[in-house]
Amino acid sequence: MRNRFLLFIISLELLGGYCFGQEVQYSWWDPTSASAPVIEGQAWPKELADPYDRLPARARDKVRDQVWGLSKQAAGLMIRFRSNANEIKIRYAVGGKHGFPHMPATGVSGVDLYAISSDGEWRWAAGKYAFGDTIVYNFRNLEPNDGYHKLGREYRLFLPLYNEVKWLQIGVPQGAAFNPLTVRQEKPIVVYGTSIAQGACASRPGMAWTAILGRKLDRPLINLGFSGNGRLEPELIEMIGEIDAKVYILDCLPNLTVRPDTKHTLEDVRNLILSSVKTLRQKRPQTPIVLAEHAGYTDDAINATNRKYYKDINEITRKAFAELKQDGTSNIYLIGKQEFDQDIETMVDGIHPSDLGMMRYAQGYEKNLRVILKEPDGRVSTTKPIVQLRELYNYDWEARHKAILDVARTGSPKTVVIGNSITHFWGGLPKGPRAVGQDSWGKTFGEKNVLNMAYGWDRIENVLWRVYHGELDGYNAERIVVNIGTNNLHLNTDDEILKGWDLLIEAIKNRQSKARIFMVGIYPRRSQEERVADLNEKLMILAGQKDVGFIDPGKVFLKDGKIDESMFSDGLHPNAKGYSILGEAMKPLIR
């Protein structure tokens, strides 16, 4: 009797939001009610038969029934929102069985909640769950805010890997802030693959290698993995070519091995690879295409048959890849079996990865994609591209990123000025919360075709993220002026700051090879004048080694080795007088 009573109390807490008899009132939000797309991971959001589908309705008559049925499953779909709630509840219904013999219900039918701190660091939330006709996840005891602000943090909710979502609602206690975020407009990574890509046998949706990779590169990802049915079929390749992707990944070999009971041959596989790549290249001449070898079976040391299956298909794939390269097909890459680093401890049943195997898949892809996309990172914080979120200046960091992309795409800027709040508050477009030195901005950089690519509180790693995510793409600048690093002073050593500058310079040169690049010394700031001067000497040497310009106009702020307080509002940000004098010192150097 006591056990039944305890189960009753637990059920009340999970399902109704009760705690010791006190009812918690929730505000509920349904993603399908949003006026703009909020379900990320869908390439055809306006063409869906049902709101959580992965293929457009017109695919029903083009693909096999098995593929269409699998496309109803929500693998790879994700919803972003911001909230300062200390409790978040998810309730939803699915269309199939909750679990499989080799894969738990938390992966097949569960959801997974991640968060991003105001400094761009990933967090994971553990939820209590109850599976029934309605599935409920309750994420409690959440720290609602970071130290910088009170409007909450960004969350990313990953949806079930192997089940159809019939309906879904997100609830927070009444009075808590909740703001859905629209789908990111960046070009996505597009993965066409098998059950492994779909997510078998991850313990939860966020542990599918595709989800891990999306987090590591912080990019939208479209998961077109179809369990047992990733076969490089022309109908799907044609549709995939409709997607304006950052990169295409074709990882279908585990469903194409040639066995006694299969109807296709290795020559058929070769032809499928050739035709798939040629179709995509015809539709998207510049988009990188990645072919992945079969990662093998974890019993191959004792099972000669399995060993032969993957070796045969990998060999024919390498031959097809060589043929494509010899024919002059550009921007095509092959990731070898060894890059995925699977061993006897990484799979559930010899082919489907455990969470450890999924992590190794993701690491192999990340390592290679960072080279292909020219997005390297390093070991110290200044070399790891991340976002940030601040409220002190009454602007949204993601919104400013979108605004800069809009100006860059429509304005064809010739001068780009990169920086933090010092540059942000100077003037120019897109407008910031204030412009303290608008007149001197125009006199220094010009009135037309100038982009202020600066954000308050930005550090080197934040600028690196912005460069990797398109702010220097799609136009040809004549000059790029970079002043960044003052917000790293309290967090990083001089050596770490130099490593960040080094990587940032390379990232800029890779995207704007014809522009003149000027690295600007950190402006002097109260109580750190001596360190700033020493660091600027090191930046000057680095600029020479990297063959870019270096200027140090901030010296005009110094008087007897200390900042002239009459030029500053707070010992860091110049006032109108300071901006005017700075501009006069900078103007002849960059022109």
Side-chain angles (χ1 to χ4, degrees), residues 273-487:
I273 293 170
L274 295 178
S275 63
S276 296
V277 171
K278 290 176 180 178
T279 296
L280 290 177
R281 182 53 69 239
Q282 184 178 16
K283 287 177 170 288
R284 302 288 178 179
Q286 304 301 324
T287 306
I289 301 171
V290 174
L291 302 175
E293 286 191 1
H294 193 310
Y297 303 93
T298 52
D299 66 345
D300 64 356
I302 200 171
N303 188 326
T305 301
N306 276 350
R307 186 164 63 245
K308 183 179 188 307
Y309 288 155
Y310 81 75
K311 284 191 172 183
D312 285 349
I313 202 163
N314 283 348
E315 182 179 355
I316 203 70
T317 299
R318 287 191 289 272
K319 289 180 178 178
F321 177 75
E323 187 174 338
L324 288 164
K325 296 293 285 185
Q326 290 168 6
D327 288 345
T329 304
S330 62
N331 220 0
I332 177 175
Y333 305 89
L334 177 65
I335 299 181
K337 169 186 179 295
Q338 70 281 357
E339 296 291 331
F340 301 119
D341 194 25
Q342 301 296 324
D343 60 39
I344 62 172
E345 313 293 354
T346 64
M347 293 186 183
V348 173
D349 53 6
I351 180 61
H352 296 106
S354 63
D355 288 354
L356 175 59
M358 288 291 185
M359 182 61 71
R360 294 205 184 156
Y361 262 104
Q363 289 169 339
Y365 273 114
E366 181 195 12
K367 172 186 171 183
N368 284 272
L369 288 182
R370 286 200 176 279
V371 175
I372 293 167
L373 301 177
K374 296 182 173 60
E375 296 180 5
D377 66 353
R379 294 183 177 274
V380 299
S381 64
T382 55
T383 62
K384 294 184 178 296
I386 56 173
V387 299
Q388 55 111 324
L389 181 64
R390 303 288 187 269
E391 295 165 6
L392 296 182
Y393 302 133
N394 298 314
Y395 77 93
D396 183 298
W397 198 85
E398 183 172 321
R400 182 154 177 86
H401 173 57
K402 292 178 181 178
I404 286 177
L405 291 177
D406 289 341
V407 171
R409 289 166 183 159
T410 59
S412 299
K414 298 302 179 184
T415 298
V416 178
V417 189
I418 298 174
N420 46 51
S421 58
I422 300 173
T423 302
H424 188 180
F425 296 161
W426 195 340
L429 296 174
K431 289 184 177 181
R434 60 180 183 267
V436 178
Q438 183 64 51
D439 290 342
S440 63
W441 173 273
K443 293 176 182 177
T444 304
F445 302 109
E447 298 289 348
K448 296 181 179 180
N449 300 322
V450 181
L451 173 62
N452 184 334
M453 197 174 131
Y455 294 34
W457 278 102
D458 256 17
R459 302 193 287 265
I460 297 168
E461 54 267 35
N462 303 135
V463 175
L464 191 63
W465 186 97
R466 300 197 277 116
V467 171
Y468 284 176
H469 288 256
E471 292 189 11
L472 290 178
D473 296 344
Y475 60 94
N476 293 311
E478 294 177 358
R479 65 181 65 82
I480 298 175
V481 182
V482 185
N483 173 256
I484 197 69
T486 195
N487 291 324

Side-chain angles (χ1 to χ4, degrees), residues 148-167:
Y148 297 107
H149 50 79
K150 296 181 180 180
L151 297 183
R153 65 181 81 243
E154 177 179 332
Y155 288 92
R156 299 187 182 182
L157 180 71
F158 292 86
L159 302 190
L161 295 169
Y162 266 81
N163 225 324
E164 177 183 0
V165 175
K166 294 294 189 179
W167 60 267

